[in-house]
Amino acid sequence: MATTRKKTTRPRRFSKEKAGELFEILAQERPDPKTELDFVNPYTLVVAVALSAQATDVGVNKATKKLFQIADTPEKMLALGEEGVAEHIKTIGLWRNKAKNVVALSQMILDEFDGEVPQTREDLVKLPGVGRKTANVVLNEAFGQPTIAVDTHIFRVSNRTGLAPGKNPDQVEEGLEKVTPEPYRKGAHHWLILHGRYVCVARKPKCWTCAIEHLCKFKDKTPDPETTAKPAKSSLGPKAPKT
């Protein structure tokens, strides 16, 4: 007799009303959220975000501090050349391939977009080293478009809280687009990233400090370590046996 497998259904995402409550709280905590990548114009933002793949924002900022002082336009970056770019970014992961992409995207911006960073996702993803996530970050931060770039932090927070569960970044992005109320769409990307980076961290989320803990569907919430600390062992040694 054949056995039938039970269907596994994805957890239901938040309602728009509940999502609005969540974002309202995050907005109160960080009224003016911004990327933590340093940049001076849309072009340097494209470069910085492309470099940030498999690297920390802190590490990218250290690498680009001097780079952007001497090459903040596609023309200057091309003049620096692949080897020159590589010398500045050797401290971050995949630096050889990233140096090639930075030079190649700079050339394409000059050749196909008259030296200006394109303002549509379709054009941005044509640039070497620029995927959907990078394009969404640039559209949001540089051009004020209400896009949501699903990185590891947003993916984790969306699934862990139940805000917009999904098996992959595209599913999570689609879910967030549906539940995020209009007033919060511009800042949603940053609020979720920062919440994941500093509160809803990967290994042990800091649930006891979380302002949205009461809305979160995560079952294994981390207790406050101060209230769950084990009592100190007695320094008086073992008790004497009863006689």
Side-chain angles (χ1 to χ4, degrees):
M1 185 177 175
T3 56
T4 56
R5 292 183 179 179
K6 288 184 178 179
K7 277 189 175 181
T8 55
T9 56
R10 211 187 312 162
R12 289 185 62 186
R13 67 173 72 99
F14 277 25
S15 66
K16 209 163 191 176
E17 183 180 1
K18 190 175 180 182
E21 185 180 348
L22 180 146
F23 284 119
E24 182 180 7
I25 294 170
L26 295 181
Q28 289 172 355
E29 287 195 319
R30 294 185 174 91
D32 187 26
K34 295 177 180 177
T35 180
E36 293 187 325
L37 286 170
D38 294 336
F39 67 99
V40 295
N41 54 33
Y43 168 70
T44 53
L45 177 62
V46 172
V47 173
V49 181
L51 293 177
S52 70
Q54 299 183 42
T56 65
D57 287 0
V58 172
V60 172
N61 289 340
K62 287 181 180 178
T64 58
K65 184 176 182 180
K66 290 184 178 179
L67 175 64
F68 290 162
Q69 288 176 356
I70 60 175
D72 59 355
T73 66
E75 294 91 345
K76 293 177 183 177
M77 197 70 75
L78 287 174
L80 194 58
E82 190 176 313
E83 289 302 317
V85 174
E87 283 301 315
H88 285 87
I89 65 172
K90 279 185 176 180
T91 54
I92 63 177
L94 307 175
W95 58 273
R96 290 185 185 278
N97 192 51
K98 288 177 180 179
K100 289 180 181 178
N101 284 336
V102 167
V103 171
L105 71 83
S106 300
Q107 188 69 63
M108 183 176 283
I109 288 174
L110 286 173
D111 292 345
E112 298 190 21
F113 301 105
D114 298 322
E116 299 293 330
V117 173
Q119 298 188 30
T120 68
R121 185 186 293 111
E122 292 73 23
D123 284 338
L124 280 167
V125 296
K126 294 176 184 176
L127 301 175
V130 175
R132 184 180 180 88
K133 179 172 76 79
T134 297
N136 281 344
V137 172
V138 173
L139 292 173
N140 184 290
E141 187 68 33
F143 303 120
Q145 297 185 28
T147 54
I148 300 175
V150 179
D151 70 346
T152 55
H153 297 300
I154 292 183
F155 186 80
R156 180 175 65 255
V157 172
S158 297
N159 275 287
R160 187 180 275 169
T161 61
L163 174 63
K167 294 180 180 179
N168 55 56
D170 287 345
Q171 288 183 355
V172 170
E173 182 181 340
E174 180 185 357
L176 289 171
E177 292 282 353
K178 289 180 178 178
V179 302
T180 305
E182 190 63 35
Y184 302 111
R185 289 174 67 85
K186 171 67 169 63
H189 164 78
H190 297 297
W191 286 317
L192 294 175
I193 282 181
L194 296 172
H195 188 70
R197 184 171 289 165
Y198 297 113
V199 180
C200 196
V201 294
R203 291 190 179 181
K204 275 194 175 181
K206 301 175 184 177
C207 303
W208 69 95
T209 69
C210 180
I212 58 171
E213 188 265 350
H214 62 293
L215 297 171
C216 177
K217 295 180 181 179
F218 184 54
K219 292 180 180 179
D220 302 320
K221 291 186 171 65
T222 310
D224 185 341
E226 290 189 8
T227 61
T228 58
K230 293 181 179 179
K233 292 183 178 180
S234 172
S235 59
L236 299 177
K239 291 182 180 180
K242 292 182 180 180
T243 57

